[in-house]
């Protein structure tokens, strides 16, 4: 059997009564971007901290390139870069000083340093801001610098906790481009996010809820496997429509999607059923169109199944 | 249609730097108006001008019928403002914070108890009025801040990134509150980085480097403004596809999207066929090419890249 770069089996961690991580299995290969996707409190941060070896697991094990993160923590840590959710750089040091500081911390030799800085500047496009204090960077630029600092020792595995939370769409796309560039060089990436719409940017995803994976697969395979019937209803009486559909048990759930009401029904349901229910309840509507599933639909559906 | 805000050629300079550059727009009364733009675009500066907290360098505006230069006090009394930096005191209780705001807004004694109860209920904190505000979760705090900002029942409210750092479920709850305000006829002027939230707005404007670069409904922004077709190319490695096709004249935008790539091309009957041919010639005859729906984020990025090219062509510096 070939060994995955990152391999974790049956990881568990309990805090008092809360089972924060309840049996996580995970393998990530070089060049692969794995998305750990779930809402607040799902167990993303705890999972990452277990993988990095910052937290002791109650059960299970994790290894990086065959090195157990608990038994050989120092050697394992040389191989990984970890960016926590609240990453603190030195606000009054400049961009370049921060990078040099992290290079020193990781004993990067002087000979290698210049070349790595140049490479990271090429990825991050931060060179024009090299002399700016980190505390004066915008949110997106700050995250790019933090990411660069985690990569200064050229790790083989990168673990990122919510790198795109709160950044603007332009910076978000730039961050993803940087991750793709690292992956193209063979770095394995595990990235956590609460945004379901980022699932499709990953090579493989695990939808996490209550410390467990609801599903892990390629994003395309997950969407293809979604079998509920989805519709988009345009109506002026939004609340009336929601109430009517919920009461008649016609819809499994409904929620806003742009200017439409998205309605999920049991597999095979016909749009006429919805039309009839709305009409019977005296709710006027303009149209009922088939809707396309996205990861939010999948997630909500799976949470119900698992409950 | 009456306008809650009319801004004409607003300019704000800080020394040599122009943060807001001749921005004009109208906000219809009763609408939810989304104000989008990347960091540093000038959103907060514009809002602070419209709230009467920062004097415009040039230009004029009317806010709920009052002139921004001559009647600034009237404006301050009649609008709500929830700033990007947090506006509640962490070491005060929920009730103490609301009493503080009731004082600022000079809410009459007869109404005070009812307005505080309203804000508490809106935040879902009934029975928890004595909790310290600092201990509340991000989502609850934002709801409370909104409640505080509308205690004096303003007809117009400015929300500057109200959901930054709030988890997705709480963001949805927050937008339910915005929808409720809209139903009551309140005009909501809101900035956000989340495109799923922007979809809920009646109208959007996008600003960049202090300039307005687009104004439309969310639907128009993805259909008309992009004026192109988004295609998904699957099969060959996306990084290689993007590298090979992004310079082709036909391609307006190309990006890796997980295991596939997305390209934007000009509309045209044979557009999809031409991209198929391009990909075939590049050595991937088995690749699949299919049209997909462009997202609001695609439109946002496209407009900004177009503006970058325009600025570069003028010899200026982008961002
Ligand atoms: N140090 C801790 N002590 C007690 N409970 C914790 C601790 N860390 C996390 N938890 C709990 O474990 C669960 C998972 O948390 P976390 O891993 O931070 O989730 P996420 O990162 O997905 O938001 C939550 O219920 C959280 O409150
Ligand atoms: N008081 C100020 N002095 C100098 N520059 C400022 C000041 N306030 C804002 N700016 C600059 O104006 C630009 C627009 O800022 P802002 O309105 O906060 O943007 P946004 O809210 O869209 O992120 C930024 O480049 C910012 O650094
Ligand atoms: Mg977390
Ligand atoms: Mg701002």
């Amino acid at each position: 059997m070939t060994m995955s770069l990152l391999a974790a089996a049956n990881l568990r961690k309990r805090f008092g009564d809360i089972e924060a991580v309840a049996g996580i299995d995970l393998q990530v290969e070089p060049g692969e971007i794995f998305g750990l996707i779930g809402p607040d409190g799902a167990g993303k941060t705890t999972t990452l901290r277990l993988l990095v070896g910052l937290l002791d697991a109650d059960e299970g094990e994790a290894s990086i390139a065959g090195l157990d993160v608990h038994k050989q923590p120092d050697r394992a840590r040389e191989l990984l870069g970890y960016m926590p959710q609240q990453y603190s750089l030195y606000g009054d040091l400049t961009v370049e000083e921060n990078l040099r500081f992290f290079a020193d911390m990781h004993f990067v030799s002087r000979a290698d340093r210049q070349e790595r800085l140049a490479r990271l500047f090429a990825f991050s496009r931060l060179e024009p801001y090299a002399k700016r204090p980190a505390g004066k960077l915008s949110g997106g630029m700050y995250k790019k610098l933090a990411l660069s600092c985690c990569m200064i020792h050229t790790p083989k595995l990168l673990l990122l906790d919510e790198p795109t939370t709160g950044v603007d769409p332009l910076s978000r796309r730039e961050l993803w481009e940087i991750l793709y560039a690292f992956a193209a060089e063979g770095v394995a990436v595990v990235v956590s996010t609460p945004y379901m719409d980022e699932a499709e940017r990953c090579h493989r995803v695990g939808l996490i809820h209550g410390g467990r994976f609801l599903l892990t697969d390629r994003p395309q395979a997950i969407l293809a496997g979604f079998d509920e019937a989805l519709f988009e209803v345009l109506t002026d009486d939004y609340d009336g429509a929601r109430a009517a559909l919920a009461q008649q048990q016609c819809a499994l759930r409904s929620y806003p999607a742009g200017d439409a009401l998205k309605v999920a029904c049991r597999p095979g349901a016909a749009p006429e059923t919805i039309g009839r229910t709305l009409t019977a309840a005296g709710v006027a509507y303009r149209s009922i169109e088939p809707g396309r599933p996205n990861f939010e639909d999948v997630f909500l559906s799976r949470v119900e199944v698992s409950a | 249609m009456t306008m809650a805000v009319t801004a004409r050629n607003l300019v704000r300079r800080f020394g040599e730097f122009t943060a807001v550059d001749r921005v004009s727009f109208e906000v219809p009364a009763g609408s939810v108006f989304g104000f989008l733009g990347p960091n540093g675009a000038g959103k907060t500066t514009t809002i602070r001008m419209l709230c009467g907290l920062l004097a415009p360098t040039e230009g004029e505006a009317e806010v709920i019928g009052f002139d921004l230069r001559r009647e600034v006090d009237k404006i301050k009394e009649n609008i709500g403002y929830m700033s990007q930096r947090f506006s509640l005191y962490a070491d005060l209780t929920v009730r103490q914070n609301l009493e503080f705001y009731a004082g600022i807004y000079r809410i009459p004694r007869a109404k005070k108890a009812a307005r505080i109860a309203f804000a508490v209920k809106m935040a879902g904190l009934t029975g928890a009025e004595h909790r310290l505000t600092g201990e509340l979760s991000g989502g609850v705090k934002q709801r409370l801040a909104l409640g505080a900002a509308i205690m004096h029942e303003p007809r117009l409210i400015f929300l500057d990134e109200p959901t930054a750092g709030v988890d997705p479920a709480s963001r949805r709850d927050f937008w339910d509150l915005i929808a409720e305000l809209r139903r009551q006829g309140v005009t909501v002027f809101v900035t956000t980085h989340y495109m799923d939230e922007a979809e809920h707005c009646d109208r959007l404007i996008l600003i960049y480097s202090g300039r307005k670069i687009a104004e439309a409904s969310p639907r128009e922004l993805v259909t008309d403004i992009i004026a192109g077709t988004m295609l998904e190319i699957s099969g060959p490695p996306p990084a290689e596809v993007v590298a090979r096709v992004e310079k082709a004249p036909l391609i307006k935008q190309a990006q890796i999207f997980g295991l596939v790539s997305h390209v934007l091309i000009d509309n045209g009957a044979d557009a999809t066929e031409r991209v198929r041919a391009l990909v075939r010639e590049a050595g991937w005859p088995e690749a699949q090419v299919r049209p997909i729906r462009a997202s609001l984020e695609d439109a946002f990025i496209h407009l900004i890249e177009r503006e970058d090219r325009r600025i570069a062509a003028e010899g200026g510096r982008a961002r």
Side-chain angles (χ1 to χ4, degrees):
Chain A
M1 194 189 92
T2 55
M3 178 68 75
S4 298
L5 183 66
L6 170 66
N10 191 32
L11 282 181
R12 285 174 188 272
K13 181 73 190 178
R14 186 177 264 294
F15 296 109
D17 288 342
I18 298 170
E19 202 169 16
V21 173
I24 289 280
D25 295 298
L26 179 65
Q27 278 110 39
V28 185
E29 309 301 329
E32 185 176 41
I33 302 180
F34 184 89
L36 203 55
I37 301 183
D40 264 20
K44 304 182 293 299
T45 298
T46 308
T47 301
L48 290 173
R49 291 169 61 90
L50 291 172
L51 293 174
V52 176
L54 286 173
L55 207 59
D56 288 332
D58 297 337
E59 274 180 55
E61 47 206 40
S63 65
I64 296 165
L67 300 168
D68 188 296
V69 297
H70 293 287
K71 295 189 191 123
Q72 296 163 287
D74 295 339
R75 290 188 60 202
R77 254 176 242 173
E78 274 168 36
L79 298 177
L80 68 87
Y82 171 54
M83 183 165 132
Q85 199 168 339
Q86 308 288 341
Y87 195 83
S88 343
L89 299 165
Y90 294 86
D92 38 358
L93 294 188
T94 66
V95 167
E96 187 168 345
E97 285 165 348
N98 265 293
L99 285 165
R100 288 186 187 282
F101 176 83
F102 280 88
D104 287 342
M105 247 178 35
H106 285 287
F107 306 107
V108 176
S109 73
R110 271 177 197 278
D112 287 345
R113 212 156 75 170
Q114 215 45 42
E115 184 222 313
R116 292 203 193 160
L117 241 60
R119 222 179 115 252
L120 290 169
F121 274 146
F123 280 130
S124 65
R125 296 185 230 157
L126 282 173
E127 192 149 25
Y129 309 98
K131 303 279 181 254
R132 190 181 287 196
K136 294 237 151 68
L137 296 174
S138 72
M141 281 202 257
Y142 190 91
K143 293 270 185 174
K144 285 199 289 185
L145 176 58
L147 182 52
S148 302
C149 289
C150 295
M151 287 300 290
I152 194 86
H153 59 301
T154 53
K156 291 187 178 337
L157 170 68
L158 189 54
L159 299 122
L160 309 169
D161 200 0
E162 299 198 20
T164 58
T165 295
V167 308
D168 70 67
L170 201 63
S171 305
R172 178 161 92 144
R173 198 165 283 195
E174 277 181 359
L175 279 165
W176 275 101
E177 279 170 8
I178 297 172
L179 296 190
Y180 290 133
F182 288 153
E185 299 199 337
V187 176
V189 180
V190 179
V191 54
S192 85
T193 174
Y195 303 128
M196 297 291 153
D197 70 337
E198 292 197 308
E200 283 178 85
R201 295 183 185 269
C202 304
H203 298 150
R204 212 152 50 83
V205 298
L207 298 185
I208 185 171
H209 179 70
R212 286 188 183 83
F213 282 137
L214 298 169
L215 264 178
T216 57
D217 207 336
R218 289 171 39 238
Q220 286 75 2
I222 290 178
L223 289 180
F226 182 79
D227 61 357
E228 289 174 3
L230 287 176
F231 303 99
E232 287 187 5
V233 179
L234 285 177
T235 171
D236 290 324
D237 185 6
Y238 201 89
D239 293 334
R242 279 183 98 163
L245 292 169
Q247 214 160 40
Q248 293 306 312
Q249 302 195 331
C250 170
L252 296 167
R253 73 198 85 81
S254 65
Y255 34 93
D259 52 1
L261 179 68
K262 198 162 191 181
V263 183
C265 303
R266 266 174 250 292
E272 293 77 32
T273 333
I274 297 181
R276 270 200 302 275
T277 306
L278 291 177
T279 308
V283 176
Y285 60 91
R286 290 194 295 283
S287 62
I288 301 175
E289 302 281 339
R292 285 188 205 197
N294 58 30
F295 271 84
E296 182 138 353
D297 303 316
V298 174
F299 188 83
L300 292 173
S301 154
R302 282 298 170 137
V303 167
E304 281 169 17
V305 170
S306 77
Chain B
M1 200 183 324
T2 50
M3 293 298 156
V5 179
T6 307
R8 282 182 296 269
N9 291 313
L10 278 182
V11 174
R12 174 68 207 203
R13 278 191 279 274
F14 295 108
E16 296 281 275
F17 179 73
T18 307
V20 175
D21 192 2
R22 285 164 292 158
V23 169
S24 303
F25 54 85
E26 292 185 327
V27 180
S31 65
V32 177
F33 193 85
F35 200 52
L36 311 182
N39 267 316
K43 301 180 297 295
T44 298
T45 306
T46 305
I47 289 184
R48 289 172 57 79
M49 284 194 281
L50 294 173
C51 291
L53 297 170
L54 190 69
T57 312
E58 286 169 28
E60 284 127 59
E62 262 163 41
V63 180
I64 42 172
F66 299 110
D67 185 285
L68 185 57
R69 292 193 184 270
R70 289 181 288 110
E71 297 168 297
V72 91
D73 290 339
K74 281 267 189 291
I75 292 175
K76 283 189 198 162
E77 276 167 34
N78 288 287
I79 58 154
Y81 170 48
M82 188 171 147
S83 83
Q84 188 173 0
R85 306 256 166 255
F86 210 45
S87 47
L88 297 172
Y89 295 94
D91 50 349
L92 294 188
T93 65
V94 169
R95 164 167 289 279
Q96 285 166 338
N97 259 304
L98 293 172
E99 281 181 345
F100 173 80
Y101 275 91
I104 291 192
Y105 291 130
R106 293 194 218 116
I107 301 203
R109 191 172 287 248
K111 268 190 155 182
K112 194 171 128 182
R115 292 309 292 166
I116 289 181
F118 164 84
V120 166
K121 180 155 177 268
M122 194 166 112
L125 285 171
T126 307
E129 293 91 336
H130 296 291
R131 281 183 64 188
L132 279 183
T133 306
E135 291 170 358
L136 304 174
S137 77
V140 173
K141 259 192 250 178
Q142 298 299 75
R143 290 163 70 101
L144 184 62
L146 177 59
I150 60 173
M151 270 221 273
H152 54 311
E153 300 175 80
R155 305 304 297 157
L156 167 65
I157 173 145
F158 292 94
L159 306 174
D160 197 358
E161 290 192 35
T163 56
V166 172
D167 75 273
S170 307
R171 290 200 291 124
R172 258 198 306 271
D173 291 347
F174 194 89
W175 276 85
D176 281 344
L177 291 181
I178 293 182
E180 178 56 35
L181 287 174
R182 182 180 183 276
R183 273 193 289 275
Q184 293 167 11
V186 177
T187 310
V188 181
F189 188 105
V190 57
T191 73
T192 180
H193 287 322
Y194 301 115
M195 295 299 114
D196 57 341
E197 296 183 359
E199 300 244 11
H200 297 309
C201 297
D202 298 304
R203 210 161 175 73
L204 297 173
I205 76 172
L206 175 56
I207 65 166
Y208 180 51
S209 296
R211 298 211 189 143
K212 181 169 99 175
I213 61 173
E215 175 167 4
S217 73
R219 234 167 235 260
E220 288 162 357
L221 209 60
V222 286
T223 52
D224 308 351
I225 309 263
I226 265 200
T229 303
M230 199 59 127
L231 299 172
E232 178 192 277
I233 304 173
S234 52
E240 290 175 34
V241 172
V242 169
R244 287 293 288 275
V245 308
E246 77 184 336
K247 293 285 182 296
L250 174 68
I251 306 291
K252 292 163 71 162
Q253 190 191 106
Q255 60 152 329
I256 304 171
F257 203 81
L259 294 164
V260 301
S261 41
H262 287 178
V263 299
L264 180 67
I265 53 171
D266 277 318
N267 275 330
D270 60 345
T272 309
E273 270 319 308
R274 290 172 62 196
V275 171
R276 280 207 183 100
L278 188 68
V279 176
R280 206 164 40 233
E281 281 157 29
W284 295 296
E286 75 295 352
Q288 301 213 352
V289 179
R290 67 177 183 113
I292 55 171
R293 214 193 293 187
S295 68
L296 207 46
E297 182 178 295
D298 292 324
F300 183 105
I301 303 238
H302 170 67
L303 288 163
I304 284 171
E305 287 180 349
R306 196 173 72 183
E307 180 69 6
D308 272 343
R309 284 193 295 274
R310 198 189 62 74
I311 296 171
E314 282 182 357
R317 235 182 77 122
R319 268 190 281 168

